[in-house]
Amino acid sequence: MFELVNLPEEEDFIRDALIGNVIRLSKDAQGTHVIQKVMASFPEHKRAFIYEEVFDQFIELAKVIYI
């Protein structure tokens, strides 16, 4: 699906839907796949929200992954 996104408005729509849900998705096998696809498909400035959420909640995410 993400390979078909080519308009800035489509990228913005997907980004807006994912904002605030990156950590929750990262804890789930299918959700991680979604985050990985966004990171591979979106330009760097459009995926900055992922980095911000991970940096803000890094300890929480690390505990879930390694526990």
Side-chain angles (χ1 to χ4, degrees), residues 26-27 58-67:
S26 297
K27 295 176 183 178
F58 181 77
I59 299 298
E60 177 188 342
L61 185 59
K63 285 180 182 178
V64 171
I65 291 174
Y66 293 108
I67 291 180

Side-chain angles (χ1 to χ4, degrees), residues 8-66:
E9 294 84 7
E10 294 170 329
E11 292 174 342
D12 292 344
F13 177 80
I14 292 170
R15 184 194 68 229
D16 292 345
L18 295 178
I19 287 177
N21 295 302
V22 172
I23 299 302
R24 184 175 59 82
L25 289 168
S26 297
K27 295 176 183 178
D28 178 77
Q30 287 78 28
T32 298
H33 180 74
V34 170
I35 299 299
Q36 290 172 356
K37 284 293 192 178
V38 170
M39 291 182 70
S41 302
F42 282 27
E44 188 170 344
H45 70 280
K46 294 270 183 150
R47 60 182 187 234
F49 74 95
I50 294 172
Y51 304 132
E52 291 170 7
E53 286 190 41
V54 170
F55 290 149
D56 289 345
Q57 299 180 8
F58 181 77
I59 299 298
E60 177 188 342
L61 185 59
K63 285 180 182 178
V64 171
I65 291 174
Y66 293 108

